[in-house]
Structures are given as C-alpha cells and as structure tokens.
Amino acid sequence: MATRAQLSQERSRLRRDELLNAAIELFAEGGSRAVTHRAVSLRAGLPSATTTYYFESIDELIKEALGAHIDQWTADLEALSKVDVDVDVSLDDAAGFITMVFAARGPEVAAVELSIFLAAARQPELRDQAARAMRAFESLAGSVLTRVGIDAPAELAAAIVALIGGTALRRQSGLYSEEAEARLLTAAIRNLVAAHALGPAGVDHKLAELRKDQP
C-alpha cells in the first residue's frame, strides 16, 4: 500500500504534468504570448496560484513544456522504430498512403509540430533534445528503408526526413493541394531511392551523360 508521502508525490507529479500539458496546448494555439499563469491554471483546471508553486517563471514553464513534448515525441519515434511489422507499402503505393497521412494530419497539425520543434531548437538548453528527436526520426525512416530491402540507408533516411520537413513547411502556404503535395513528396522519395540504388559512381555517370547531351 502506498504511503501518504508517496500519494502526495504522485498527486504533485500529476498536477505538474497537467500544467505542462496545458502550457503546450496554449503555446500551440497562440505562441508564447498565450502562455500566462492564469491561462495555464485555468486550462489545467487548477487554482490560479498553482503555476507559481511549481515553476519560478513563465519562461521556465514554457521551456519545460517544450522539452517534455519533444521528449514524448522522441520516445514515440523510438518505440515505432523497434516495432517489428511487415511493411507492405511499395513506392508505387506511397502516394496514396501519404495522402491518407496528410488527411489525418492536416497542415494545421504540421504547423503546430513545426512551431513546437523550432521553439525548442532555439533554446540552448533544449537543443540536444531537439537533435535527439531528429536522430529518432531518421532512425525510424532508416528502419523502414531497411525493411523494404534498402542497404546502408542512413544518409538516404536523413535526406527523406529533410524532404518531409520541407513538405511540412510548404503545406503551410497552400501552394499545392494535399493530393499534389503527396505526389510531389512521393516523386522526390522515388528519385532519392533511385539515386541511392545507382550509387555515387552511377549518379556521376548519369550526370556526365546529361552534360554531353546538352547543346
């Protein structure tokens, strides 16, 4: 049976987590200006003085909320990379698959994730956590590439993650429809995979052929 002290510690931990969750929700909705002591307490359903009990300042609260969110994102990515599942999506099917992902996670979701990640990466104290999140993302991409039979995929995975990040940024402009974005991302991934399969020598040879064909 838990002691009174243990119950108190658990209740304190839960309250602190509630404040962090409330802070990240408000940050996602309105940036750092939306994160105030009163707004966070109200969102968490706690007394107005609760934030000052757990955090010395709003800046500290925002940093911890960003860090906690990035850590959870990293843990989710790391867990996914360890799941042993059959990948049954070929490059020919990828456009349809990506379209489904985009439908489930619209541009507004991508905007929130981008804003949270960029805010964390700008904090010197959180930069290592942001870098770990990127490594986890690349590791997940690499594990998927390995499962579809691609050897030595580390650099290819890093390039694909960069493509995904760029696509997330461009989706905010509405320049292309979601279907067009899915097709463009699929084509770019196919081109990267093809170049990876050719290898540096094969790519150099193809580029040399193209230069010869130029007038």
Side-chain angles (χ1 to χ4, degrees):
M1 179 178 293
T3 66
R4 182 176 298 178
Q6 288 173 329
L7 290 173
S8 177
Q9 289 176 352
E10 178 63 12
R11 184 163 53 251
S12 179
R13 184 190 66 78
L14 289 174
R15 280 195 167 191
R16 197 172 188 281
D17 287 347
E18 288 170 355
L19 293 171
L20 292 174
N21 290 335
I24 206 68
E25 287 178 6
L26 289 165
F27 182 90
E29 293 170 6
S32 58
R33 292 183 180 180
V35 185
T36 65
H37 289 291
R38 187 174 184 279
V40 172
S41 297
L42 184 63
R43 177 64 63 92
L46 296 170
S48 59
T50 309
T51 56
T52 56
Y53 177 80
Y54 288 99
F55 304 97
E56 292 184 359
S57 66
I58 284 295
D59 285 344
E60 180 188 0
L61 173 55
I62 291 174
K63 286 179 184 177
E64 292 211 27
L66 291 171
H69 187 84
I70 292 294
D71 283 346
Q72 184 57 57
W73 186 45
T74 303
D76 292 342
L77 290 170
E78 290 174 343
L80 283 172
S81 68
K82 295 174 183 176
V83 175
D84 187 14
V85 296
D86 293 330
V87 178
D88 194 24
V89 177
S90 69
L91 286 176
D92 293 331
D93 301 326
F97 177 74
I98 292 172
T99 299
M100 287 192 301
V101 173
F102 283 0
R105 301 175 67 80
E108 67 284 352
V109 176
V112 168
E113 292 173 345
L114 281 170
S115 66
I116 291 173
F117 181 81
L118 290 174
R122 284 195 295 267
Q123 300 284 347
E125 304 92 328
L126 301 179
R127 199 159 291 148
D128 287 344
Q129 288 167 265
R132 182 186 166 199
M134 280 294 98
R135 284 194 296 270
F137 199 176
E138 291 179 4
S139 177
L140 175 58
S143 68
V144 173
L145 291 170
T146 298
R147 290 169 192 168
V148 298
I150 296 174
D151 296 326
E155 289 189 3
L156 177 59
I160 288 174
V161 168
L163 276 177
I164 293 171
T167 298
L169 182 63
R170 189 174 59 198
R171 287 172 72 198
Q172 307 311 306
S173 70
L175 179 62
Y176 300 107
S177 69
E178 291 289 270
E179 292 78 10
E181 286 287 11
R183 290 195 300 272
L184 287 168
L185 179 56
T186 302
I189 291 174
R190 285 172 62 90
N191 290 340
L192 281 175
V193 171
H196 182 81
L198 284 172
V203 172
D204 288 344
H205 177 71
K206 187 61 180 177
L207 290 174
E209 288 183 343
L210 291 173
R211 285 193 290 270
K212 289 179 182 177
D213 292 339
Q214 291 179 354

